Amino acid sequence: MLSRITQALDWLEETLLALLLAAMTLVTFAQVVARYLFNAGVVWALELSIFLFAWLVLIGASYGVRVRAHIGVDIVLRHLPLPLARAMAGLGVLLSLVYAAILFKGGWDTVSLLHLIQIEAEDLPVPRWIPTLALPLGMALLFLRLLQAGWGLVRGASPGLLANEVDDALQQVRDPGEGGR
């Protein structure tokens, strides 16, 4: 059951990221075409692009943790004995969980306040709290992905939680047909 929920969340996360990127690209492209070809444009396009980008970045952070795509420098971990490396990686996960929890709380407080005072976005006719939901939602997803990474550490996964670009590049040189992964 948990596996199915995780798969559904993975699919939802990837689909949402693809839709956000496509929407942001289309809005920006349409605005450029409108300005340079028709000498016109819409006032709200920049604000919408900013909101879409915020959602993309904050949800993309959790996706990056899930697929180990964040840039990482783990040279120190590689030179430590395995138990100490695991402990250091665990500390990194723990501190990241605290960071995500603090940002979630701050984001939730902000969304609650914006919902209470009912102000709208500057150029878009939507309540400001709706686009601001990106912060608590993104941090909740990041928190979940960090928990999954921490659980992986407990179950014996490699202590390197982040991508290792050097190993990836060397693998790609050794096996150019494989794509490096």
Side-chain angles (χ1 to χ4, degrees):
M1 177 71 169
L2 186 61
S3 173
R4 294 184 89 166
I5 292 171
T6 302
Q7 286 177 345
L9 185 60
D10 292 351
W11 177 86
L12 182 65
E13 188 179 55
E14 291 171 4
T15 302
L16 189 55
L17 287 171
L19 291 173
L20 288 166
L21 184 59
M24 188 176 74
T25 303
L26 287 173
V27 167
T28 304
F29 177 74
Q31 182 69 351
V32 169
V33 169
R35 284 200 187 235
Y36 289 106
L37 291 183
F38 304 112
N39 207 19
V42 289
V43 180
W44 48 264
L46 177 62
E47 187 174 42
L48 180 59
S49 292
I50 290 170
F51 289 153
L52 291 170
F53 185 68
W55 278 81
L56 185 70
V57 166
L58 291 167
I59 294 172
S62 68
Y63 176 79
V65 169
R66 178 171 66 93
V67 299
R68 297 173 56 140
H70 288 289
I71 296 173
V73 179
D74 60 355
I75 192 162
V76 173
L77 289 180
R78 291 172 175 271
H79 290 20
L80 294 175
L82 188 58
L84 186 55
R86 284 191 184 287
M88 294 293 290
L91 179 63
V93 169
L94 184 63
L95 292 174
S96 298
L97 284 167
V98 169
Y99 172 79
I102 290 169
L103 285 180
F104 173 83
K105 172 71 168 110
W108 186 258
D109 290 347
T110 302
V111 167
S112 299
L113 180 62
L114 289 172
H115 186 268
L116 179 69
I117 60 178
Q118 287 296 309
I119 60 172
E120 285 191 348
E122 287 185 37
D123 296 325
L124 290 169
V126 296
R128 180 83 168 128
W129 65 269
I130 292 174
T132 308
L133 271 173
L135 184 57
L137 180 64
M139 290 303 108
L141 284 170
L142 179 62
F143 193 88
L144 174 69
R145 298 306 184 183
L146 288 166
L147 282 176
Q148 289 174 332
W151 181 246
L153 267 176
V154 169
R155 295 186 66 204
S158 164
L161 294 173
L162 305 171
N164 188 329
E165 292 74 28
V166 174
D167 284 348
D168 292 346
L170 287 173
Q171 182 65 29
Q172 204 166 23
V173 168
R174 288 185 198 119
D175 304 323
E178 302 267 332
R181 291 211 184 244

